[in-house]
Amino acid sequence: VRTRAMQRAFSLGLATARSPAPLATTKVYINALTELGFSSRTFSSAAGDAPQRQWGVQRTPNGNLPVYRDIRNHNTREITIIRRVMGDLPALRESILSEFQINADRVWVKQGRVEVKGFHRHEIIKWLESKGF
């Protein structure tokens, strides 16, 4: 079964039925996906270009970073939530603490997500994009 992106790669002549190396096939597939309008940074880890990290943030199906604002306690408490986190969540917590100079009691690790007290959505999104997510 071929996906739409692979069919596009074959029609453009970017891929053949037998590719010499799996890495070359992956790069051809990534090139075909970028021509269809997908972001290349989403697929860079598949090609082995991204550095190895202890944690990662998976983008939503729309291609956005899953960083949300939550308002609790009758609009008196704002929390920034980072969802779809994979890997070592305490390492992500430590990265946030060192990057944003936030007190340790304001960052919580929950199941599959990290919560930060306060509205830090835009800063965290810029930071994650600079890390390649």
Side-chain angles (χ1 to χ4, degrees), residues 33-120:
L33 289 174
T34 55
E35 286 182 10
L36 289 174
F38 292 99
S39 173
S40 62
R41 71 173 168 252
T42 306
F43 305 102
S44 64
S45 61
D49 297 335
Q52 294 294 325
R53 292 186 186 89
Q54 296 177 344
W55 52 270
V57 178
Q58 184 181 14
R59 286 185 176 256
T60 63
N62 291 334
N64 299 323
L65 285 169
V67 181
Y68 305 103
R69 179 180 84 170
D70 191 16
I71 299 175
R72 298 180 184 171
N73 295 350
H74 304 285
N75 293 335
T76 60
R77 183 176 176 195
E78 276 186 303
I79 296 175
T80 304
I81 301 172
I82 306 168
R83 295 181 52 204
R84 300 175 69 117
V85 179
M86 301 173 295
D88 190 12
L89 276 77
L92 172 59
R93 179 182 183 268
E94 294 300 321
S95 297
I96 291 172
L97 290 175
S98 65
E99 181 69 27
F100 298 105
Q101 288 86 29
I102 299 174
N103 293 338
D105 60 344
R106 293 177 165 250
V107 182
W108 306 285
V109 174
K110 303 278 179 113
Q111 182 71 30
R113 65 184 185 185
V114 175
E115 295 182 357
V116 182
K117 187 174 182 179
F119 182 63
H120 304 284

